């Protein structure tokens, strides 16, 4: 029940146990389906939707390496580990990078982006994370920031690792130029096979990248040979692609609308339970990310010790943090099922109480129960 990798459905695990010819007719059909279903997930009509072997960071690297190079000006909206990583990657490929740092626990706002453009005059690329996993904060102005960037002639790279299929992401409507995600978070597939989608504007820039391209695997034009023309690029991670196919099929079967609702109801009920128990959440509701809930550690509760106890006594794992005094609970995919919610909240309450935190576990459980009431059907797998 941590911030990922998240548990996967049985059907995804089964698909991940198969090998087929990576260049045969069955694989061609699988790839076509993955592209179509991924386009649905990203809400895009673009056909430049590619999968790649590698974690979400590899998809970030592909996005950055294809749009940024020496002489290109990049604005990185940084409010934590992952949004900041995009800027570090852009520096790595020699772009001129401005890091726009948020105040702690806050997302970057449209007003801050406008100011940054006013100061600099021009940026070619703006990077951001829709959901910043390290602190459980979402970039609420994201659609407006993407629209503004487009008006200014800049391309946007958006990390949707913890948001795609957990909450609305509308690539075409919002004007996102590159959307990317890993398999192991909201999609509920395996780590190691990721997805990336390019808009027509972004693809024109990909085609203008100076040659020779510094990477083989992350070269979008070479990758398009496999994902667009069924030609060899490198040996595809076949079981991982099959797992991704199954995960996306389950998303399509559930429909985005119902999946968003399940995620939202589940997370809000869990948040209500945590608060009713006496715990405090790190992000205020208006910027809170539902898919990763950051919970402040009460005084004297040691993160590593309490999590170790939870795992041993209750077999429930949650995540620690990168420097902040919080623990993080995942609300992605299978984590948003009622049996997981009750088990997690009880395990957390009892473990924190054992460390000396003054909590009302019963009230927390009751608040979770009433938060889910009326929608039980949606939470039972
Ligand atoms: C928002 C976000 N982006 C990128 C990543 C990087 O993912 P990976 O570790 O799969 O490379 C993570 C991982 O936690 C993440 O939460």
């Amino acid at each position: 029940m941590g911030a990922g990798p998240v548990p996967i459905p049985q059907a995804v695990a089964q698909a991940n146990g198969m090998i087929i010819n990576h260049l045969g007719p069955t694989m061609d059909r699988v790839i076509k389906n993955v592209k179509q279903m991924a386009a649905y997930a990203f809400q895009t009509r673009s056909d430049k939707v590619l999968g790649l072997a590698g974690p979400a960071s590899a998809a970030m690297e592909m996005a950055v390496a294809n749009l940024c190079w020496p002489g290109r000006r990049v604005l990185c909206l940084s409010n934590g580990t992952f949004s900041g990583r995009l800027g570090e990657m852009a520096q790595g490929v020699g772009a001129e990078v401005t890091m726009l740092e948020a105040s702690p626990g806050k997302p970057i706002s449209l007003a801050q982006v406008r100011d940054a453009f006013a100061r600099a005059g021009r940026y070619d690329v703006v990077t951001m994370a829709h959901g910043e996993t390290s602190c459980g904060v979402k970039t609420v102005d994201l659609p407006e920031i993407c629209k503004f960037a487009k008006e200014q002639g800049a391309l946007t790279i958006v990390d949707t690792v913890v948001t795609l299929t957990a909450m609305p992401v509308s690539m075409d409507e919002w004007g996102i130029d590159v959307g990317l995600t890993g398999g192991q978070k909201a999609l509920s597939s395996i780590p190691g096979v990721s997805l990336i989608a390019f808009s027509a504007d972004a693809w024109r820039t990909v085609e203008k990248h100076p040659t020779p391209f510094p990477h083989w695997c992350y070269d979008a034009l070479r990758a398009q040979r496999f994902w667009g023309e069924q030609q060899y690029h490198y040996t595809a991670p076949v079981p991982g692609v099959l797992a991704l196919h199954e995960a996306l099929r389950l998303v399509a079967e559930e429909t985005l609308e119902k999946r968003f609702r399940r995620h939202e109801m589940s997370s809000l009920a869990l948040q209500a339970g945590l608060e009713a128990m006496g715990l405090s959440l790190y992000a205020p509701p208006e910027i809170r990310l539902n898919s990763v809930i950051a919970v402040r550690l009460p005084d004297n509760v040691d993160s590593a010790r309490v999590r170790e106890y939870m795992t041993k006594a209750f077999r429930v794992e949650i995540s620690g943090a990168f420097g902040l005094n919080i623990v993080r609970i995942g609300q992605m995919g299978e984590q948003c099922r009622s049996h997981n919610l009750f088990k997690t909240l009880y395990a957390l309450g009892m473990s924190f109480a054992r460390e000396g935190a003054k909590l009302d576990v019963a009230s927390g459980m009751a608040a979770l129960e009433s938060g889910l009431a009326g929608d039980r059907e949606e939470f039972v797998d």
Side-chain angles (χ1 to χ4, degrees):
M1 293 298 285
V6 305
I8 53 175
Q10 184 58 23
V12 174
Q14 255 166 356
N16 190 44
M18 274 184 266
I19 287 279
I20 58 171
N21 176 2
H22 73 130
L23 294 171
T26 306
M27 195 60 169
D28 291 354
R29 289 221 306 280
V30 167
I31 294 300
K32 283 201 179 94
N33 288 346
V34 168
K35 284 175 62 125
Q36 197 174 11
M37 293 188 293
Y40 170 61
F42 279 111
Q43 292 286 287
T44 182
R45 290 192 181 281
S46 170
D47 66 342
K48 299 299 183 296
V49 181
L50 319 176
L52 64 148
S57 301
M60 294 161 88
E61 199 126 48
M62 189 187 236
V64 168
N66 282 274
L67 298 191
C68 311
W69 54 84
R72 300 271 285 169
R73 302 181 68 170
V74 177
L75 180 66
C76 169
L77 314 191
S78 170
N79 67 328
T81 310
F82 299 105
S83 46
R85 184 176 294 179
L86 286 162
E88 287 180 53
M89 287 175 171
Q91 282 162 350
V93 295
E96 213 178 287
V97 180
T98 305
M99 297 295 253
L100 186 55
E101 305 275 355
S103 343
K106 295 266 169 8
I108 298 283
S109 66
L110 172 64
Q112 288 170 291
V113 175
R114 280 183 184 278
D115 284 352
F117 270 82
R119 282 194 301 274
R122 170 183 74 86
Y123 284 106
D124 300 302
V125 177
V126 183
T127 68
M128 70 207 89
H130 190 199
E132 178 49 69
T133 322
S134 57
C135 56
V137 165
K138 78 175 170 213
T139 303
V140 280
D141 288 353
L142 191 133
E144 292 78 19
I145 292 173
C146 291
K147 184 165 179 269
F148 173 73
K150 187 125 293 211
E151 285 162 9
Q152 300 294 311
L155 297 171
T156 47
I157 295 177
V158 180
D159 168 332
T160 64
V161 173
V162 287
T163 57
L164 195 79
T165 77
M167 56 185 268
V169 174
S170 288
M171 186 165 161
D172 288 1
E173 191 188 325
W174 298 352
I176 295 173
D177 286 297
V178 183
L180 63 95
T181 193
Q184 82 281 20
K185 307 254 185 194
L187 275 184
S188 302
S189 183
I190 60 151
V193 178
S194 301
L195 281 172
I196 188 164
F198 294 86
S199 71
D201 286 347
W203 199 256
R204 274 190 285 279
T205 300
V206 169
E207 289 173 329
K208 283 197 302 217
H209 192 291
T211 51
F213 195 83
H215 305 279
W216 179 277
C217 294
Y218 301 146
D219 180 346
L221 293 180
R222 285 190 173 107
Q224 174 65 4
R225 278 193 213 150
F226 180 75
W227 287 86
E229 294 147 39
Q230 279 84 49
Q231 302 288 315
Y232 175 71
H233 171 211
Y234 55 77
T235 303
V238 174
V241 173
L242 294 174
L244 186 61
H245 181 279
E246 189 57 26
L248 286 166
R249 197 191 62 73
L250 292 171
V251 169
E253 187 176 74
E254 183 173 9
T255 74
L256 284 177
E257 200 183 18
K258 284 201 180 140
R259 195 172 166 94
F260 295 155
R261 184 174 149 78
R262 173 164 67 84
H263 279 77
E264 186 180 28
M265 295 287 295
S266 170
S267 183
L268 293 181
L270 186 56
Q271 291 168 32
L274 290 161
E275 289 186 319
M277 212 175 248
L279 289 163
S280 135
L281 304 183
Y282 180 72
E286 60 285 3
I287 57 166
R288 188 177 298 155
L289 183 62
N290 281 339
S291 46
V292 181
I293 307 174
V295 185
R296 284 183 204 279
L297 277 171
D299 289 344
N300 305 324
V301 173
D302 178 77
S303 171
R305 204 168 54 218
V306 79
R307 286 184 293 112
E308 190 187 336
Y309 179 75
M310 258 179 95
T311 308
K312 272 203 190 126
F314 297 97
R315 297 183 162 273
V316 175
E317 274 184 351
I318 59 170
S319 299
F322 303 93
L324 294 171
N325 200 30
I326 55 172
V327 289
R328 296 170 305 143
I329 307 175
Q331 278 292 273
M332 294 174 274
E334 295 310 293
Q335 295 173 325
C336 301
R337 302 280 181 201
S338 56
H339 55 277
N340 288 328
L341 299 176
F342 285 103
K343 191 172 167 184
T344 302
L345 189 62
Y346 185 73
L348 185 140
M350 297 305 280
S351 306
F352 276 39
R354 185 175 173 270
E355 286 274 310
K358 294 266 166 294
L359 296 182
D360 181 350
V361 178
S363 294
M365 299 307 289
L368 170 60
E369 151 69 15
S370 51
L372 294 178
D375 268 282
R376 277 219 195 80
E377 288 301 298
E378 307 235 353
F379 296 94
V380 180
D381 185 19

